[in-house]
């Protein structure tokens, strides 16, 4: 092929793709997920059963809650394999009051063991970030197979992304 034909073909392709990308087709708003009110990043502390003593001398760790692929009442609690090693699926039990819990002996993906999450709740505007911003707070309890009979308590606040609120 001659250079002129190649240049013409490239120019035609560029124009065709450019014009096509400007064409809005249908509704471009993908919407949300069923558990989007439960989703976010959180600064959470794991406590001993007394609810006051940090478990194993730990402090705040970054956790995430995010929807499951099934887009139903299920979502994940995930500490990114950081401290308590929890990545388990839980279920929204009340979408209005933002409560949740897990199944007994639910699979815990980091250790290959099990965990039972109970009494989970998100409190809208119920917390204060490290920098003093009013944010949502979260609470739940968990019993792990590696320490049966001990129910750890978890509490924290939503991450804002502001520099003053980072650990």
């Amino acid at each position: 092929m001659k250079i002129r034909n190649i240049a013409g073909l490239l120019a035609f392709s560029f124009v065709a793709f450019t014009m096509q990308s400007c064409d809005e087709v249908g509704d471009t708003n993908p919407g949300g997920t069923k558990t989007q009110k439960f989703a976010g990043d959180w600064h959470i502390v794991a406590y001993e059963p007394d609810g006051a003593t940090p478990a194993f001398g730990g402090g705040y760790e970054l956790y995430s809650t995010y929807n499951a692929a099934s887009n139903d009442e299920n979502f994940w609690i995930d500490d990114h394999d950081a401290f308590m090693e929890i990545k388990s699926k839980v279920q929204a039990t009340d979408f209005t009051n933002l409560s949740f819990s897990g199944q007994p002996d639910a699979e815990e993906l980091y250790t290959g063991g099990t965990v039972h999450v109970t009494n989970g709740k998100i409190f809208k505007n119920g917390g204060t970030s490290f920098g003093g911003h009013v944010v949502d707070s979260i609470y739940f309890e968990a019993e792990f197979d590696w320490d049966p009979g001990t129910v750890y308590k978890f509490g924290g606040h939503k991450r804002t992304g502001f520099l003053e609120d980072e650990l």
Side-chain angles (χ1 to χ4, degrees), residues 26-47:
D27 185 8
T28 58
N29 181 0
T33 64
K34 190 164 185 178
T35 56
Q36 67 186 16
K37 291 181 180 179
F38 294 87
D41 289 328
W42 306 86
H43 295 290
I44 295 177
V45 175
Y47 294 99

Side-chain angles (χ1 to χ4, degrees), residues 31-145:
T33 64
K34 190 164 185 178
T35 56
Q36 67 186 16
K37 291 181 180 179
F38 294 87
D41 289 328
W42 306 86
H43 295 290
I44 295 177
V45 175
Y47 294 99
E48 295 289 340
D50 66 10
T53 307
F56 307 106
Y60 282 97
E61 294 289 339
L62 185 64
Y63 286 61
S64 296
T65 52
Y66 47 89
N67 69 293
S70 54
N71 195 22
D72 53 14
E73 73 279 357
N74 294 296
F75 66 96
W76 292 95
I77 294 178
D78 185 352
D79 78 346
H80 308 282
D81 201 17
F83 186 67
M84 292 297 284
E85 296 181 318
I86 181 171
K87 181 177 183 179
S88 187
K89 200 180 289 186
V90 297
Q91 296 77 40
T93 56
D94 187 333
F95 285 90
T96 302
N97 293 314
L98 301 177
S99 59
F100 60 92
S101 66
Q103 298 297 318
D105 298 321
E107 183 179 20
E108 194 294 303
L109 297 182
Y110 290 128
T111 65
T114 61
V115 63
H116 185 196
V117 174
T118 56
N119 299 318
K121 178 121 175 81
I122 294 173
F123 301 91
K124 297 302 281 180
N125 298 319
T128 305
S129 70
F130 300 127
H133 304 280
V134 175
V135 293
D136 297 347
S137 65
I138 189 170
Y139 175 85
F140 63 93
E141 298 172 356
E143 181 180 356
F144 298 87
D145 67 334

